[in-house]
Amino acid sequence: MDRRTFLKLILGVPMLAVAGAFMSPALRYLRPSLGALADTKIDTKNKPFTEWVGTGGLVAGPDMPQKEREIRFKLADFPKAWDVQTFTFGQRSKEYTASGFQATRIPAFAVRLPEDKNGKPDFYVLSRICPHMGCVFNYLQDPAEAANYNYPQAKTPHFACPCHLSVFDPLQTQDNGKGVQIPGKVVSGPAPRPPRQFTWVIAGDDLIIQEAETGGIS
């Protein structure tokens, strides 16, 4: 190997490294999706929000947040209608940093609704993060408290945000923009949509909180 060839080889290595560093995020940005973005499934029983079910493409799947663990409650923790339990749902999102992930903690409510379903208690399980500006909202178990949020007509428990006075009714539904009615209708205030929800199931004597609806504030 002559001197000129040796120098070309030495100079080419860092150039290849730089090119590789730029190519990886570029290919990630340009990669095809799993399928058409409209390729979704909606389960209105326990999944009132859209779930990605696309197939195909060149990659295994989008980088969806992964729960740290399931949250479990005993049905006995909700002996009557409108009983509530608070919890914090932990999940990790893939992040291309040294740590490799970003951990988030979502404050949430699980509330037993007044009407049972299929002989078992029915629940409304929702994030406490207001979809308006991201404040943490409250559960008004006493309907009279809604008057403090400019909604004196409440007859049942509601959720209300102390920042901008958005009020949500768990017994009324609202279109999610995709033709699906979801609970938590905005009955007062500036919030553009109901709160984000969680999937859940009843297994034996347990209420199991499984996954959080993706999406942030509007």
Side-chain angles (χ1 to χ4, degrees), residues 28 44 49 57 65 75 99-100 110 127 131 134 145 147 158 160 165 186 201 203 215:
R28 180 173 175 79
T44 57
F49 48 86
L75 295 182
S99 63
S127 165
E145 294 182 39
H158 282 57
L165 307 184
V186 182
V201 296

Side-chain angles (χ1 to χ4, degrees), residues 101-143:
F101 68 91
Q102 180 184 48
T104 56
R105 300 288 182 270
I106 305 172
F109 287 127
V111 179
R112 179 174 176 175
L113 297 176
E115 296 294 332
D116 290 354
K117 182 186 291 184
N118 300 323
K120 295 183 178 180
D122 194 15
F123 291 90
Y124 184 36
V125 187
L126 67 157
S127 165
R128 293 183 63 190
I129 298 174
C130 182
H132 175 225
M133 295 293 287
C135 297
V136 176
F137 58 74
N138 303 316
Y139 177 48
L140 310 181
Q141 202 156 17
D142 180 359

Side-chain angles (χ1 to χ4, degrees), residues 89-102:
F89 191 86
Q91 63 182 18
R92 294 189 175 197
S93 302
K94 193 173 184 65
E95 189 175 73
Y96 289 86
T97 62
S99 63
F101 68 91
Q102 180 184 48

